[in-house]
Amino acid sequence: MSEINMEKLTRLAHLQLSDAEQTAARADLEAIIGMIDTFNAAEVGDTAPMSHPLDLHARLRADIATADITRETYQALAPSAENGLYLVPQVIDSE
Amino acid sequence: MTKSTSPQHASLADLVKGLGSGQFSSRELTDEYLASATDASHLNSFITLCPDEARAAADKADAERKRGAATHLLHGLPLAHKDIFCTAGVRTSCGSKMLENFIAPYDAAVVERLNAAGTIMLGKCNMDEFAMGSSNENSHFGPVLNPWDNTRVPGGSSGGSAAAVAAGLTPVATGTDTGGSIRQPASFCGVTGIKPTYGRVSRYGMIAFASSLDQGGVFARSADDAAKVLATMAGFDERDSTCAQQNTDALQQAAQQGLAVPKNSLTIGLPKEYFQDLNPALTQRLDEARSLLEAQGHTVVDVELPNTKFANPTYYVVAGAEASTNLSRYDGVRFGHRCDNPKDLQDLYTRSRTEGFGAEVKRRILTGTYALSVGYYDAYFLKAQKLRRLIQQDFLTAFDGGVDLLLAPVTPGPAFQLGNLTSDPVEMYQQDIFTVPASLAGLPAASIPCGFVDGLPIGMQLIAPHFEEVRLLELAHQYQTLTDWHQQQPPARTAGGNSQ
Amino acid sequence: MSDQPTEDLFRWGNWEPVIGVEVHVQLATNSKIFSNSPTSYGAEPNSQANVIDLGMPGVLPVLNEGAVRMAITFGLAIGAQLNRLSIFDRKNYFYPDLPKGYQISQFETPIVGAGELTFSMDDGSERTINITRAHLEEDAGKSVHDMFPGSSGIDLNRTGTPLLEVVSEPELCSPAEASAYFRALHGLVKSLRICDGNLNEGSMRCDCNVSIRPRGQQELGERTEIKNVNSFRFVERAIETEIARQIEVLEGGGNIRRETRLYDPDRDETRSMRGKELSDDYRYFPDPDLLPLVLDETMIEEMRSKLPELPIAKRARFVTNLGLSEYDADMLTRDPDVAAYFETAAQHAGDTKVAANWVNGDVAAALNRADLAVADSPVDAITLGALLQRISDGTVSGKIAKTLFEALWGTPTRTTDVSAALKRIDALIDERGLKQVSDSSELQGLVDQVLADNPDQVAQFRAGKEKVLGFFVGQIMKSTQGKANPGQLNGLLREALKP
């Protein structure tokens, strides 16, 4: 196991940890990754990676627009929506 | 009603009979379960009870029955759903503060099918947050107590469902199993729990933890009851790309006619890796089960699943990686928890997620993020994906070698004390070592009560080849015709664990 | 045709630009790539986003067959390797227009592998550019910035619209070449009917990767990416200004930073996009909600049999079968709508070259002035064909036809019936008295008159001053308001002027 970059992980995951939490989380992660590292003893050779337990292929959906869309119902779930738009703090420099 | 005839602990077949004969109405049954759920509120097995909706649905079911429209086997039967299945109009929290106020505008496929069958939803069962946990202590709505001993955990993540069935608060309950979340609590609570083959039950509307592992299943008081519910839940759904186009005829037949016992004698494999250093009392229970099955003419053989020891690390990489991105949609924008007064966009994301997720969810997200990140992908995620294939191949080799089913422990021991493992995540993860291999391989697996250890119920695990749920359930059923472990009932309220 | 570009590639001094472009082509499917929501443009905000597009808990993606078929069609058209097995991956980053916190895309195994695209530059030189790959992915939503103080509004209608991202090799050597490639790709996907090609609706968006290096150096310089450029002209301008900026930075002793930039057409400059979350780590991995896409040979063959004539084949046919110049053929085949318009008009015109001249000339100019697409031309192809027929049968002269064209333009109609169009044009000719004078005796009278009135000029002509013929023609055209049949008139004048 190499050094865990907590700053990078929390940034990518959009989580915020106080110093004390970060220390505890690092210790937990080190223990978890230490447990995971026991699989380094396994010889996998050129085994094909398995993403999915069944050997199935994509099933395709006919290209028909059948969705029943009720914007008001969906937006009733939103913490902040106005004029049909979801609101977030000002986005800078988008397209 | 006296205890012995109480519908609360009756089999589904008896309930079906009672409803059909007019011995009791769906409304009476529903009221009875709602009352017991209220009485047993100290167990905390429900996050949401829906008495009004349930009574209305029961009245509707009774009216339908009167005019001869009760066509489905399960018509009018009350049940409970794990709070991970979206239910239109009723909150679906997934055990998280993040979704504390989330009311999905749609039903999960499982809910849709059971609703269409005419079942009555009593409420939504407690669970570990986002199904991450093995003790139900990770719920934002507080832990569930084990009905057998209120100082102990019911197991997780579907702890609420298992406890509710064990305590007779519902005849059956749905659950989900990603790495053992049905089997482990079923073992701890002394009920029958089955996780079907991955792809057997649609995942549509079932809140995702780890997409390639999550599978809906059922808790019941017997294999026969479980078969009845599973037959209704199972089947192809075009809304889930990973759902298999597999016929369910054998399951339907088993549901309608009741489970048969296996027609032929089976070869049952004992994976020796599962028995090394196993709790002696548990080993003894499994030996007893083995002898009983042998006495029925089944052959028991030892098999080797050499990659078993790598299953837990593999599982925690795969599940963590998938979870870390499945949970990115909780960003405080379209639904779910949003922090107060975000100062900018990053603050909105970070604070909403930090406030909305509990400690274990954060740990899994961070673990998964680590395993997928640049420089670690090959060593962790890719390696886990390769090991996953080797682990599956171990099983397939055993089945190809003539083994019909595997018999193994579900858990390293019986239910542990509340709070015992909360400070050590890795120790907690060790609870899953016997359940994650079948999850990684996508195999159907069940926990069947097989006795007691230290006065607490314990289950044995049966694992079958893909889509051979009926074979598994038939053997379980045969075992349950010979034993009454599955009919044991917990004391009404235990001494040690007065409501906390 | 020359293969050597005549463009001045040395205008950057000792610097040489290296350009590659990624074009996001919105596929013209009815429904979204992973959901059954409609894809139409311009609907009320969030009225075309269903629970899947919104990334609600528990909902799942299912791949649209229409998008797969269109990707196959594109792959076949560029002669690419079609990957029989391709994988959908998650690209993880947070942004308000990306509801799930990841974009479903294809990372290591795209559906379309390497192919190539051949096209002409404005100077007639031909270029073939290698296409690295093309992959399927889902589009993101949009942010609205100026509606709420301190907040942005998020519209997720576009979320999940299928995109085919076409990635070129970094072998474009000038802004003009990049623009020509983009235009050729536009013509191709429109011809294939897999994209509506509406650039101002964002149906095709170009990301330009630009770097410069000292001429002769093998190693590539650090590159910048100019995002979302959506017109042929802006592609050229954006790259031109970015090259200039990079030269200035490097010659000033600075370094180019790898970054995403935006082109601002109003100020004709590119600027750094600070706000966009630039993750260095997208954590791509196969989407566990989707299974590997395996292409069915029957589907591939079906799409092959349905391939329409490609622009390059059409261009060759226009040259070989219709006798058009390379230039005319190229201009007419850049946009399949123009080619179709031309072919319909030419069918009725009686002279394909005249039809080509009109479509590339008067029609193009008029459309350009009115900022209209050819499909919306007030003079439809049948009507133009009918008008040109009246030139070739001598009813009107080319000059008069221009007057008629303007009159037709003013009252737009759509017809599929050429005889109706002819009737309309004939009525217009009668109404305005524009019929060409082709009556020999009438013309003879006019010739006799003009020669009698201008004895000096007659003498000059007979003395060998051939140019004077034009004077006589002009006089007669003036008196007939341009209606004299010019060919006939010329013959009669020459006859009468014989010594």
Side-chain angles (χ1 to χ4, degrees):
Chain A
M1 184 194 346
S2 42
E3 176 77 2
I4 297 170
N5 184 342
M6 290 300 288
E7 187 276 325
K8 179 184 172 183
L9 291 182
T10 51
R11 177 172 53 82
L12 289 174
H14 286 276
L15 294 172
Q16 196 169 39
L17 301 177
S18 68
D19 288 350
E21 286 169 332
Q22 183 148 157
T23 306
R26 181 192 299 277
D28 285 345
L29 270 191
E30 279 171 357
I32 292 166
I33 293 161
M35 180 275 285
I36 290 168
D37 279 337
T38 59
F39 76 12
N40 291 335
E43 274 304 322
V44 292
D46 55 359
T47 308
M50 183 171 121
S51 295
H52 201 268
L54 301 177
D55 189 23
L56 297 174
H57 299 143
R59 188 168 30 78
L60 302 176
R61 176 179 59 77
D63 180 21
I64 312 167
T66 53
D68 181 18
I69 295 167
T70 50
R71 183 179 76 181
E72 279 59 40
T73 311
Y74 305 156
Q75 296 203 333
L77 298 167
S80 178
E82 219 173 294
N83 296 348
L85 295 158
Y86 293 97
L87 294 194
V88 297
Q90 187 79 55
V91 180
I92 313 151
D93 245 351
S94 173
E95 45 183 312
Chain B
M1 286 178 239
T2 64
K3 188 84 186 174
S4 57
T5 58
S6 158
Q8 275 173 248
H9 290 277
S11 71
L12 271 195
D14 286 342
L15 293 179
V16 168
K17 212 177 289 170
L19 282 170
S21 68
Q23 188 190 343
F24 40 78
S25 66
S26 178
R27 173 62 190 264
E28 285 169 328
L29 212 48
T30 300
D31 281 336
E32 187 117 16
Y33 283 115
L34 287 170
S36 53
T38 309
D39 282 351
S41 60
H42 67 287
L43 296 177
N44 200 23
S45 54
F46 284 92
I47 290 174
T48 305
L49 262 183
C50 356
D52 297 342
E53 293 88 343
R55 289 189 181 108
D59 288 342
K60 181 167 163 272
D62 286 332
E64 284 167 353
R65 185 172 295 280
K66 261 195 198 119
R67 56 164 211 270
T71 49
H72 195 281
L73 179 69
L74 302 183
H75 187 273
L77 285 172
L79 51 66
H81 289 300
K82 184 178 183 180
D83 206 22
I84 199 170
F85 290 102
C86 288
T87 45
V90 172
R91 171 177 69 170
T92 302
S93 75
C94 218
S96 182
K97 180 179 180 183
M98 183 59 86
L99 294 177
E100 199 169 7
N101 299 307
F102 178 68
I103 299 176
Y106 43 89
D107 279 326
V110 161
V111 172
E112 211 173 69
R113 281 168 180 260
L114 287 166
N115 281 349
T119 63
I120 315 299
M121 180 174 79
L122 298 166
K124 307 289 296 286
C125 290
N126 204 342
M127 56 181 285
D128 281 306
E129 183 179 9
F130 284 100
M132 298 173 189
S134 309
S135 69
N136 220 308
E137 292 164 294
N138 298 331
S139 170
H140 172 63
F141 300 89
V144 176
L145 311 186
N146 190 316
W148 290 89
D149 176 348
N150 292 174
T151 66
R152 292 176 187 268
V153 304
S157 67
S158 316
S161 299
V165 172
L169 317 184
T170 177
V172 290
T174 56
T176 62
D177 189 315
T178 304
S181 283
I182 288 176
R183 290 160 286 162
Q184 189 247 17
S187 173
F188 281 8
C189 292
V191 299
T192 301
I194 180 168
K195 171 201 100 76
T197 311
Y198 181 87
R200 192 51 123 166
V201 170
S202 170
R203 294 189 296 115
Y204 187 85
M206 187 177 106
I207 298 181
F209 159 15
S211 309
S212 79
L213 294 155
D214 295 344
Q215 185 59 200
V218 55
F219 292 91
R221 265 187 271 291
S222 68
D224 191 59
D225 287 4
K228 286 180 169 37
V229 180
L230 184 58
T232 304
M233 292 167 69
F236 177 64
D237 178 7
E238 61 182 13
R239 294 168 299 180
D240 174 2
S241 298
T242 63
C243 193
Q245 284 172 297
Q246 191 79 24
N247 91 43
T248 61
D249 294 352
L251 259 176
Q252 301 306 336
Q253 197 186 332
Q256 292 300 327
Q257 300 173 4
L259 276 172
V261 298
K263 276 188 263 322
N264 307 308
S265 68
L266 301 174
T267 302
I268 299 166
L270 299 186
K272 66 172 206 194
E273 293 79 4
Y274 287 63
F275 290 86
Q276 285 158 6
D277 308 317
L278 190 63
N279 174 322
L282 175 52
T283 307
Q284 205 181 328
R285 294 294 88 78
L286 295 171
D287 276 345
E288 289 157 12
R290 166 207 176 126
S291 306
L292 204 55
L293 293 171
E294 278 177 324
Q296 299 306 304
H298 301 301
T299 309
V300 175
V301 297
D302 281 339
V303 297
E304 288 184 21
L305 303 173
N307 290 293
T308 300
K309 60 178 173 294
F310 302 124
N312 231 30
T314 299
Y315 171 80
Y316 277 92
V317 169
V318 171
E322 292 183 7
S324 73
T325 96
N326 276 338
L327 269 58
S328 294
R329 68 189 61 201
Y330 306 103
D331 60 4
V333 177
R334 296 162 316 287
F335 49 79
H337 178 75
R338 181 185 201 137
C339 66
D340 288 332
N341 306 314
K343 69 177 197 304
D344 56 29
L345 186 63
Q346 298 308 317
D347 189 41
L348 166 69
Y349 289 154
T350 304
R351 255 192 317 126
S352 299
R353 290 166 60 78
T354 301
E355 294 168 6
F357 292 141
E360 182 59 23
V361 170
K362 288 176 191 163
R363 267 195 288 276
R364 307 269 182 128
I365 291 175
L366 292 172
T367 309
T369 304
Y370 179 85
L372 288 174
S373 58
V374 165
Y376 299 98
Y377 183 89
D378 287 1
Y380 290 97
F381 188 71
L382 199 60
K383 173 113 189 189
Q385 281 200 310
K386 291 179 174 186
L387 271 167
R388 186 175 184 184
R389 187 174 298 282
L390 293 178
I391 289 161
Q392 185 185 53
Q393 275 170 3
D394 282 354
F395 282 108
L396 300 184
T397 304
F399 291 132
D400 288 347
V403 168
D404 296 309
L405 285 166
L406 295 166
L407 171 64
V410 181
T411 49
F416 49 88
Q417 293 283 332
L418 281 157
N420 242 18
L421 301 180
T422 40
S423 61
D424 187 344
V426 172
E427 199 50 44
M428 184 71 93
Y429 295 174
Q430 297 310 311
Q431 288 299 312
D432 306 330
I433 51 171
F434 300 139
T435 47
V436 298
S439 296
L440 289 165
L443 298 167
S447 174
I448 309 297
C450 68
F452 286 78
V453 168
D454 304 334
L456 293 163
I458 197 89
M460 64 175 176
Q461 185 172 204
L462 294 176
I463 303 169
H466 290 130
F467 301 109
E468 295 292 351
E469 288 85 358
V470 172
R471 183 191 298 171
L472 186 162
L473 288 166
E474 283 181 348
L475 187 75
H477 177 63
Q478 185 175 38
Y479 177 80
Q480 291 181 340
T481 61
L482 304 167
T483 59
D484 64 357
W485 303 120
H486 61 292
Q487 288 168 332
Q488 303 293 316
Q489 292 165 27
R493 189 167 247 208
T494 68
N498 299 314
S499 34
Q500 327 190 331
Chain C
M1 196 185 303
S2 158
D3 284 341
Q4 284 305 308
T6 54
E7 194 186 352
D8 177 15
L9 295 178
F10 291 90
R11 65 182 186 275
W12 299 292
N14 192 37
W15 296 102
E16 175 187 57
V18 177
I19 304 158
V21 300
E22 296 161 15
V23 180
H24 294 85
V25 179
Q26 271 189 356
L27 297 177
T29 53
N30 301 313
S31 62
K32 292 187 176 172
I33 184 166
F34 297 118
S35 88
N36 56 352
S37 301
T39 52
S40 34
Y41 178 83
E44 277 285 292
N46 292 304
S47 64
Q48 305 212 338
N50 76 353
V51 293
I52 298 168
D53 309 317
L54 297 174
M56 291 267 180
V59 298
L60 297 166
V62 181
L63 182 56
N64 179 348
E65 177 173 335
V68 173
R69 286 180 179 268
M70 289 179 185
I72 293 173
T73 297
F74 179 78
L76 292 170
I78 61 162
Q81 172 75 40
L82 290 172
N83 289 323
R84 295 310 194 262
L85 187 141
S86 62
I87 306 279
F88 286 94
D89 297 289
R90 290 183 181 178
K91 178 182 183 181
N92 294 288
Y93 65 96
F94 279 72
Y95 207 65
D97 63 12
L98 189 69
K100 299 187 297 297
Y102 57 84
Q103 179 195 31
I104 306 177
S105 182
Q106 297 189 301
F107 184 49
E108 277 183 355
T109 42
I111 180 167
V112 177
E116 58 178 43
L117 183 63
T118 298
F119 55 93
S120 292
M121 302 285 292
D122 281 345
D123 62 12
S125 64
E126 195 166 271
R127 286 283 277 150
T128 296
I129 293 297
N130 286 297
I131 289 172
T132 317
R133 57 182 281 171
H135 64 259
L136 284 167
E137 64 182 27
E138 55 180 351
D139 207 344
K142 283 179 178 168
S143 307
V144 178
H145 298 300
D146 32 20
M147 224 162 125
F148 312 95
S151 295
S152 294
I154 309 298
D155 175 8
L156 299 171
N157 278 349
R158 201 178 66 179
T159 306
T161 300
L163 294 178
L164 188 68
E165 182 175 334
V166 182
V167 182
S168 84
E169 286 290 310
E171 55 188 33
L172 295 155
C173 54
S174 73
E177 203 168 284
S179 174
Y181 165 84
F182 185 31
R183 194 176 51 214
L185 200 58
H186 175 262
L188 180 64
V189 297
K190 264 186 85 171
S191 300
L192 297 172
R193 294 184 201 93
I194 64 174
C195 176
D196 65 20
N198 291 334
L199 295 176
N200 39 19
E201 292 178 2
S203 293
M204 285 181 76
R205 308 189 296 272
C206 191
D207 295 347
C208 312
N209 291 298
V210 180
S211 68
I212 59 170
R213 61 183 170 192
R215 199 167 290 284
Q217 178 181 302
Q218 274 300 307
E219 194 192 335
L220 292 171
E222 186 60 276
R223 68 183 162 86
T224 59
E225 182 179 21
I226 314 165
K227 278 263 185 224
N228 283 331
V229 192
N230 67 352
S231 88
F232 308 142
R233 196 165 64 86
F234 289 169
V235 164
E236 186 162 350
R237 286 306 315 154
I239 298 174
E240 195 76 61
T241 59
E242 178 59 13
I243 292 171
R245 187 191 71 87
Q246 291 190 9
I247 291 174
E248 199 180 309
V249 169
L250 290 179
E251 290 186 346
N255 288 312
I256 301 301
R257 212 158 51 92
R258 186 167 190 150
E259 63 180 353
T260 303
R261 299 181 71 83
L262 267 188
Y263 175 66
D264 179 348
D266 296 332
R267 304 166 73 169
D268 192 28
E269 64 178 29
T270 67
R271 59 189 157 81
S272 184
M273 282 175 80
R274 293 174 312 276
K276 192 101 184 173
E277 182 181 348
L278 273 180
S279 171
D280 46 346
D281 195 343
Y282 289 121
R283 289 155 289 139
Y284 284 99
F285 78 111
D287 189 328
D289 285 331
L290 290 162
L291 300 173
L293 170 61
V294 171
L295 297 186
D296 177 58
E297 298 302 325
T298 339
M299 189 188 279
I300 295 174
E301 287 320 307
E302 185 191 334
M303 298 326 285
R304 195 193 303 279
S305 71
K306 285 182 180 165
L307 269 188
E309 184 181 37
L310 301 183
I312 195 155
K314 200 182 285 279
R315 195 182 79 191
R317 177 167 62 83
F318 283 5
V319 172
T320 315
N321 297 8
L322 305 183
L324 299 185
S325 69
E326 291 277 358
Y327 174 80
D328 276 342
D330 181 42
M331 293 304 286
L332 290 172
T333 52
R334 285 180 174 186
D335 182 328
D337 292 346
V338 172
Y341 183 91
F342 159 73
E343 290 207 82
T344 304
Q347 205 188 324
H348 303 290
D351 185 329
T352 47
K353 283 186 195 170
V354 169
N357 286 338
W358 269 79
V359 174
N360 283 337
D362 296 275
V363 177
L367 288 171
N368 200 27
R369 272 195 303 275
D371 196 20
L372 286 173
V374 69
D376 302 322
S377 173
V379 178
D380 63 83
I382 298 262
T383 304
L384 181 72
L387 175 63
L388 302 185
Q389 195 179 115
R390 286 295 177 252
I391 301 178
S392 57
D393 68 10
T395 309
V396 295
S397 66
K399 187 153 182 270
I400 292 294
K402 288 181 202 288
T403 311
L404 287 168
F405 180 78
E406 272 167 40
L408 293 166
W409 185 274
T411 47
T413 45
R414 281 276 172 283
T415 182
T416 51
D417 178 359
V418 70
S419 55
L422 284 168
K423 218 174 269 173
R424 178 175 166 224
I425 288 161
D426 291 345
L428 204 55
I429 292 170
D430 283 350
E431 182 190 311
R432 304 204 176 182
L434 296 173
K435 194 168 163 58
Q436 185 160 265
V437 181
S438 301
D439 180 85
S440 304
S441 57
E442 194 181 340
L443 284 176
Q444 190 64 55
L446 293 166
V447 168
D448 293 346
Q449 187 64 47
V450 81
L451 297 192
D453 289 352
N454 299 284
D456 291 354
Q457 281 79 359
V458 173
Q460 284 172 11
F461 182 86
R462 287 184 176 147
K465 211 169 172 192
E466 283 269 330
K467 264 165 59 184
V468 181
L469 189 71
F471 166 77
F472 295 121
V473 173
Q475 290 296 305
I476 292 168
M477 284 297 182
K478 202 168 171 183
S479 67
T480 61
Q481 288 142 344
K483 287 181 294 184
N485 181 323
Q488 230 175 333
L489 183 60
N490 256 298
L492 290 172
L493 273 169
R494 282 188 181 279
E495 188 58 35
L497 284 164
K498 271 190 185 155

